[in-house]
Amino acid sequence: MRVRLVKGVALTATGLLAGAFGYGAVNLAPTFWAVPLEMRLSFHAELMKMNSPVMQTAMVTAMLSSLGLAVLTRGRERQLAGGASLLTLGSLLITRFGNVPINARIKEWAVTSAPSDHAEFLHRWDLYNQLRTATAIAALVLLVITAVGRFEEGRGGRETEQGSAPATTAA
């Protein structure tokens, strides 16, 4: 029962994270380039006020629940959940050390003006955004595999495919 609950939390948090990042990468990021710079900067700075705490909470929840699932399971399911936890940690680190410092600059530019090399920073922000989106989606895929996979522990702690006979040991 505990495994199912933790798996549900991990899938939900990681799904929301991947969905939000995916939506941003497919819809918001290209739109940022299509509007005047001042509009982009103002919108981006305002968006980050709410987006920052919500997304960082989602990343931490996804990471910790995936880690919890890894602790509670064994074999391939543990490996998949552990991989999902590492991938969401990757999303968190990319965000914290890649996107967040650029967000701070964008916030400043929104009230002053962008420097001549602003496009370089905005392209770098896009690259970090694509990377964290990819890691979040990959984490979700790993967790979906844990949800639809048929994992069962056989005797002796060895994983068996559900429905097949568990491994036997000589007495």
Side-chain angles (χ1 to χ4, degrees), residues 16-167:
L16 290 170
L17 179 68
F21 277 153
Y23 176 83
V26 171
N27 294 304
L28 285 178
T31 303
F32 281 158
W33 291 102
V35 299
L37 180 62
E38 295 76 24
M39 183 182 292
R40 176 194 180 150
L41 298 177
S42 296
F43 181 77
H44 191 115
E46 197 61 35
L47 180 65
M48 290 309 118
K49 286 180 184 176
M50 192 57 157
N51 203 37
S52 181
V54 169
M55 294 305 291
Q56 290 186 42
T57 300
M59 285 182 272
V60 168
T61 303
M63 180 189 64
L64 292 178
S65 57
S66 296
L67 181 61
L69 184 61
V71 168
L72 293 173
T73 57
R74 299 214 181 281
R76 179 158 300 178
E77 194 168 10
R78 172 178 276 174
Q79 293 170 347
L80 292 167
S85 184
L86 289 173
L87 286 163
T88 54
L89 174 62
S91 291
L92 181 64
L93 293 174
I94 291 166
T95 300
R96 183 65 194 103
F97 297 107
N99 295 92
V100 169
I102 297 172
N103 288 342
R105 287 180 181 230
I106 290 171
K107 186 177 176 181
E108 291 174 17
W109 301 342
V111 294
T112 59
S113 64
S116 59
D117 62 347
H118 70 276
E120 176 187 334
F121 287 96
L122 297 177
H123 283 292
R124 193 173 323 140
W125 188 94
D126 281 346
L127 173 64
Y128 293 140
N129 190 50
Q130 291 166 359
L131 289 171
R132 69 186 182 171
T133 300
T135 56
I137 291 170
L140 178 61
V141 168
L142 294 182
L143 290 173
V144 167
I145 293 169
T146 70
V148 301
R150 300 173 77 183
F151 305 100
E152 183 179 303
E153 289 296 318
R155 282 184 269 174
R158 292 188 358 208
E159 184 179 332
T160 62
E161 189 67 26
Q162 190 173 12
S164 65

